[in-house]
Amino acid sequence: MKNKGVIVYIIIVLFVFYIFFDTLVENAESSFLSNDIIRYNSFRNLDSEDVILSNYDSFDDYVSLARSSVIENRLLSYDIIYYTNNYRNELGIFDLVYDEDLSLAASIRAIEIALNDKFDHVRPNGLSYSSVLKDLNINVRCSAENIAFGYDSSVDVVSAWANSHGHYVNMVNQKYNKIGIGYFEYKNVVYWVQIFSN
């Protein structure tokens, strides 16, 4: 009889802990996470392309998802910039500086490429990649874009770009002093974008 009392007590304690913990997590999410981050995390867990595309079909949806991606992948962006700047430093060229607005544009481009299965410098709407800068009211004199997919690490993708003449020229071009990084993983494939400007 005494054992049954202990078991009931343990069950009650576990139940109370579960309720308390669940409330604590809910409050933490609503206090510290923006709706964009919650939406992004739920998006990443979906498998159905049809569901994803129906939920993310406007430019505002892409912007919202891209903002979350920029926040979540900032350290990865710094890695890309570090490796890119190593190639510039070998030539005695000044470092590129991380730019949040360009990273938002690059993240939108990574999402567009992934979700629309359009690996191209032309956007799904038929316009050049640079039109995303205008859509975001980012004023630049000149810009360039590097895109890639399928590489698992920042060092691998930067190395691949460095071994491609056109991509390398973008990376070491002295007319650029700012860089934005886009990273998006979709169906276990990683999509990478660099946007350079001045």
Side-chain angles (χ1 to χ4, degrees), residues 172-183:
V172 299
N173 194 321
Q174 294 187 55
K175 67 182 173 185
Y176 304 127
N177 58 14
K178 296 190 288 188
I179 186 172
I181 305 299
Y183 170 97

Side-chain angles (χ1 to χ4, degrees), residues 40 59 61-74 77 98-115 123 132-133 136 138 145-146 180-185 191-195:
Y40 177 63
F59 184 71
D61 289 333
Y62 280 52
V63 170
S64 177
L65 185 58
R67 285 188 197 286
S68 299
S69 181
V70 167
I71 292 166
E72 188 172 288
N73 297 303
R74 185 161 290 135
S77 295
Y98 173 81
D99 185 273
E100 186 97 3
D101 292 334
L102 290 179
S103 290
L104 178 61
S107 294
I108 289 169
R109 288 290 298 129
I111 293 165
E112 287 178 343
I113 291 166
L115 296 187
R123 297 176 67 197
V132 74
L133 301 173
L136 295 170
I138 300 171
E145 176 184 72
N146 285 348
I181 305 299
Y183 170 97
F184 188 70
E185 186 174 345
Y191 296 83
W192 308 83
V193 176
Q194 291 179 311
I195 294 183

Side-chain angles (χ1 to χ4, degrees), residues 25-38:
V25 169
E26 248 179 44
N27 290 340
E29 284 181 352
S30 62
S31 298
F32 299 111
L33 295 178
S34 71
N35 287 335
D36 290 345
I37 293 173
I38 294 168

Side-chain angles (χ1 to χ4, degrees), residues 33-59:
L33 295 178
S34 71
N35 287 335
D36 290 345
I37 293 173
I38 294 168
R39 190 173 180 194
Y40 177 63
N41 288 333
S42 65
F43 173 88
R44 290 188 325 173
N45 295 326
L46 295 174
D47 288 331
S48 167
E49 184 173 334
D50 295 333
V51 172
I52 290 169
L53 293 178
S54 68
N55 287 338
Y56 291 85
D57 56 1
S58 76
F59 184 71

